[in-house]
Amino acid sequence: MKTLLEAIRPTTFIESDKLKKQLGIDLTIASETFQITGSFKFRAAYNLALNVPNDEIVTASSGNFGQALACACEILGKKGVVVMPETSAQVKINAVKGYGATVDLVDTKQVRREDRVQQILDTMPNAYRASAYDDSFVIDGNSTLGKEIANYKDFDAIIVPVGGGGLSSGIIKGLCEIGSSIKVYGAEPLLGNDASRSLQAGEIVANEIEPMTIADGARTLSLGKQNWAIIKDGIAGIIEVSDEKIAEAMRLYFGLANLKCEPTGALSFGAILENRDPFKDKKVCLIVSGGNVDTEVYRKILAG
Amino acid sequence: MKTLLEAIRPTTFIESDKLKKQLGIDLTIASETFQITGSFKFRAAYNLALNVPNDEIVTASSGNFGQALACACEILGKKGVVVMPETSAQVKINAVKGYGATVDLVDTKQVRREDRVQQILDTMPNAYRASAYDDSFVIDGNSTLGKEIANYKDFDAIIVPVGGGGLSSGIIKGLCEIGSSIKVYGAEPLLGNDASRSLQAGEIVANEIEPMTIADGARTLSLGKQNWAIIKDGIAGIIEVSDEKIAEAMRLYFGLANLKCEPTGALSFGAILENRDPFKDKKVCLIVSGGNVDTEVYRKILAG
């Protein structure tokens, strides 16, 4: 059985001279688009599936965590059940099924995903309830990316997409464990700016409904409790990114860096497009969290 | 002044479990889409511009070599002039200009690119005439990729896109220099199958006109003489790839591997789609030579 570090792939660092020239900022991309299952979530999911004693794992996921958990369960011989919103990208639904996991589609306007998970757990008493972000195994799995980034270059700042806070808290924890002082900024959709509001309020603030941003990996109601405990003091700031800037970032990645990414993955670059001033003269790492996007969605975004 | 190995980026190796599963072949991608200027051509161009004594360099190129040469000239403080067909992708034309080189657009139905280069050279007596492929500096530059691939894994076969033969001859030479016995297969557009016909004839056979394949990096009349001298005995075979299979390969890369590539870069995967039998049970490296493709061309190909 492979350890976490044996199972994951190292992230892909991309230096794009054209991006640097166009933005006037010393940018490096840390792309998880070529990670197993196409997003960073495999780091979290494998670590979780490897370490929980249960043979059955149930989760709610907008797609990438579900796919990653399904793959990890397949590798480790466990049973995975994934509750997904009906609005999830079709490629993500198909991918979860392809790894042999059970997909449970839910109309999130009728039933909250978390409530549906509880309904399923009532019929599977020996299953582990896995949060895609609010879980220490998830945070520890994601911390590996923070360490990789710190070992690659002496960055001044890392910008990381924020949904439930699983990746950002993991990055902060990973950096902390190796004594790195790189600043971590979160980038979240303007349409679901609960993390920004939470930081201002000093406590977790939730969106009333799942925000319908194109960044479908960040359609979360709020930060997780364990994530918040790490983020509230560990993050240098949260930048709110409009869907227009997310799309523009995707087009620039395509045209200048030959990088295909999903909307959520483009949040970190979108943050720079919203306001580049704080990052002038800094060495900045943009985390691209994943690459899984429906063809038609991508074609529409490319058309501008 | 940076040496060649200091100036280039290592290739990006991508292992896609989804591709492997779908094709039933142990595939690894060696992607040059993140190389400086977005294609392998920078290896060739930098090596050439670094080693020729001339301060002015003139070339004919369907785009990627021109862009790479323009970038290398900018880095090394030399003047580049690039003759390009009017039908070249607009992104490639713009990129050459962006590096400060002079672009000379030619209607290849009226004047052969090589003739236009000669016209320009008549006015620039101290300039070096750089072939995008038929040049020992080009071949030596490209040989670095062969060595990288051999050092990465014990492959049985490498499949490489073929236009003028600059990359394939470079790979063969690089492998030869380190005593590697990995077999090298060329993948060329069916619409411009001169390399395949050359191999059958035992001598260089040329296309009558520049073939209008979507693989615009392989719209060459024939193999170069220096390339042919290496390829004729060094290549294990040439596989002819239809434009349909090139497009299918691009869609599969997008959907299964999160990889954006240009049509020419997809030739090697297209070769597998044409006939996978010779590669069953083999460890195969697919070279993706570049990623620069116009947005509208890419959108059309994605639509299928």
Side-chain angles (χ1 to χ4, degrees), chain A residues 62-119:
Chain A
S62 62
N64 275 333
F65 183 72
Q67 188 178 158
L69 188 72
C71 178
C73 282
E74 187 180 52
I75 293 170
L76 295 164
K78 298 192 172 189
K79 175 173 174 55
V81 179
V82 181
V83 175
M84 300 176 76
E86 288 179 341
T87 53
S88 300
Q90 190 61 42
V91 284
K92 294 183 179 178
I93 295 170
N94 293 344
V96 171
K97 289 181 179 170
Y99 290 113
T102 302
V103 172
D104 187 280
L105 289 179
V106 61
D107 178 355
T108 54
K109 288 175 192 135
Q110 304 290 328
V111 185
R112 293 199 328 152
R113 282 188 268 182
E114 295 306 323
D115 293 340
R116 178 64 193 147
V117 169
Q118 191 53 54
Q119 291 171 4

Side-chain angles (χ1 to χ4, degrees), chain A residues 46 77 163 189 206 214:
Chain A
Y46 190 87
I214 57 171

Side-chain angles (χ1 to χ4, degrees), chain A residues 26-66:
Chain A
D26 185 356
L27 297 176
T28 300
I29 301 161
S31 179
E32 286 284 284
T33 59
F34 305 120
Q35 185 54 264
I36 297 170
T37 68
S39 86
F40 78 97
K41 295 279 190 179
F42 184 76
R43 297 172 186 262
Y46 190 87
N47 196 47
L48 186 146
L50 181 68
N51 286 295
V52 301
N54 316 55
D55 290 328
E56 301 169 329
I57 305 174
V58 183
T59 193
S61 163
S62 62
N64 275 333
F65 183 72

